[in-house]
Amino acid sequence: MTIPLHYTIALASTLFMIGAVGLILRRNMLVMLMCVELMLNAVNLLFTAFARDTGGGDAHIFVLMIMAVAAAEAAVGLAIIISLFRTQRNVDADSIDLLKG
Amino acid sequence: MFFIFAALAIIGAFLTILSPKAVNSAMSLILVMISLAGIYLLLNAHFIAVLQIIVYAGAIMTLILFVIMLLPEDEKTKQPDKKKILTQLAILTGAVIVFLTLTFSLTRDVVPDSAGMISISESKLADDVKQELRSKNQNVNKKAPQEFSNEQITTLRKYLLHQQKILDPEFGTVREVGRLLFTQYALAFEIISLVLLTALVATLFLAKRRLNP
């Protein structure tokens, strides 16, 4: 079964926009991190769809790199969140103003 | 099949950004990841689908769930009143952009000269390629019609497949992706390992140190 390319493009862009809106709306830093993961996944889906369409295997390597970078980003982001929680006692993105002097 | 997975992914994404508790968000995000793995399978990306489940649904989401477990529940979940207009504006903008992308991608031909690779079975393909190889062999090398080397066969096979718009049956398998990763993209592979090492060290540093306010 072959999926038409534009179906996948539509799905990927919808997922990406849901992630972006969530990133703007939510103030909990954990949920914001999850929204970033969602957006990265949408991009991965797009890569895979175009790879299937053109028959080139190179895009899969890009997807692999994005996955590795996402894993690294999640680890560092979560470490920052925990470190912030130790000093600030909450994970609300609006109430963090350490740089305000 | 595609529509089932797509509907699951979109429902999961909405639940991710709308549920008030972070744990429910994480669970919905796992649903999205697994549906996307199904779609990768439909797109002939077997290796990526397996990695999606192992790395995303397994490792990253477990990490996030652990951190959710470590942090206490937020008491004040309701938004302040002054943010209300901003919230509505964000939702409106998102909806408009999604609508526009959907209209464009569903009504117009996004990629006019889309390759549209068709997939055929391995056995049929093998005969075709062998036939072609034999004829090339006679044309090019009439004096000594010996067998080609493995590398030449691979290259010629790729060329023929591309010419006939046939999807390589090995497309997306572990073998093919691994071959690319360790030959053509070996440098990218090394850079990935460096990135992961840096992230490891940075995480250790951040987790050990105490921020001084």
Side-chain angles (χ1 to χ4, degrees):
Chain A
M1 182 184 118
T2 310
I3 306 165
L5 181 61
H6 54 263
Y7 285 4
T8 344
I9 293 176
L11 175 63
S13 46
T14 313
L15 284 180
F16 189 89
M17 277 321 293
I18 292 175
V21 167
L23 192 67
I24 296 171
L25 284 185
R26 298 301 299 267
R27 293 292 96 194
N28 189 336
M29 284 182 80
L30 277 166
V31 182
M32 289 168 80
L33 197 68
M34 284 191 250
C35 289
V36 173
E37 299 288 334
L38 188 60
M39 290 159 76
L40 285 171
N41 263 288
V43 175
N44 278 352
L45 178 61
L46 213 52
F47 263 122
T48 332
F50 277 109
R52 171 69 176 77
D53 191 64
T54 54
D58 306 20
H60 289 176
I61 310 295
F62 278 86
V63 174
L64 255 173
M65 278 198 82
I66 293 179
M67 277 186 179
V69 171
E73 170 246 321
V76 175
L78 289 172
I80 290 176
I81 290 176
I82 287 185
S83 174
L84 270 174
F85 181 77
R86 279 211 208 124
T87 55
Q88 299 276 307
R89 289 286 131 196
N90 69 26
V91 287
D92 192 37
D94 280 341
S95 65
I96 292 165
D97 44 11
L98 276 176
L99 287 183
K100 243 183 192 170
Chain B
M1 207 61 185
F2 173 79
F3 291 107
I4 298 174
F5 283 131
L8 276 178
I10 289 179
I11 291 171
F14 268 118
L15 286 178
T16 304
I17 69 167
L18 291 180
S19 59
K21 284 187 179 175
V23 183
N24 295 348
S25 290
M27 287 302 170
S28 319
L29 194 56
I30 293 180
L31 175 67
V32 179
M33 305 290 185
I34 293 177
S35 335
L36 282 185
I39 293 178
Y40 290 155
L41 277 183
L42 294 179
L43 288 171
N44 294 48
H46 312 113
F47 186 46
I48 299 296
V50 172
L51 274 189
Q52 171 87 2
I53 289 184
I54 293 179
V55 174
Y56 267 118
I60 295 183
M61 292 317 292
T62 313
L63 204 63
I64 289 180
L65 278 173
F66 259 110
V67 173
I68 291 174
M69 186 191 76
L70 284 177
L71 302 180
E73 194 75 28
D74 261 8
E75 294 304 322
K76 41 179 206 311
T77 46
K78 59 173 187 286
Q79 304 266 350
D81 275 339
K82 60 169 185 177
K83 294 274 171 56
K84 206 133 199 189
I85 285 185
L86 197 65
T87 307
Q88 284 166 350
L89 206 64
I91 292 178
L92 191 71
T93 318
V96 166
I97 295 178
V98 166
F99 177 73
L100 284 182
T101 25
L102 284 186
T103 337
F104 269 93
S105 59
L106 289 180
T107 55
R108 297 190 178 192
D109 213 351
V110 183
V111 186
D113 51 349
S114 162
M117 293 285 185
I118 48 172
S119 54
I120 61 171
S121 68
E122 174 78 55
S123 53
K124 185 177 182 302
L125 176 82
D127 286 347
D128 284 359
V129 172
K130 267 178 216 152
Q131 193 72 38
E132 199 79 22
L133 275 178
R134 218 165 285 141
S135 64
K136 294 257 171 177
N137 202 356
Q138 282 171 357
N139 285 341
V140 175
N141 209 349
K142 265 184 182 155
K143 286 172 193 166
Q146 77 259 27
E147 292 292 312
F148 281 111
S149 74
N150 260 339
E151 206 164 317
Q152 281 172 312
I153 289 179
T154 313
T155 316
L156 187 57
R157 173 186 159 120
K158 287 223 175 303
Y159 172 71
L160 291 176
L161 287 174
H162 195 74
Q163 213 176 23
Q164 297 170 17
K165 297 197 172 206
I166 294 170
L167 190 72
D168 193 343
E170 284 205 343
F171 171 78
T173 55
V174 181
R175 185 171 145 178
E176 175 67 16
V177 177
R179 195 185 60 76
L180 272 177
L181 191 62
F182 287 110
T183 53
Q184 198 177 347
Y185 294 101
L187 180 66
F189 182 72
E190 299 297 334
I191 292 174
I192 288 178
S193 50
L194 257 183
V195 166
L196 285 176
L197 180 68
T198 317
L200 193 74
V201 174
T203 310
L204 268 179
F205 176 70
L206 278 172
K208 278 197 162 189
R209 191 188 55 157
R210 218 166 231 287
L211 280 181
N212 291 319

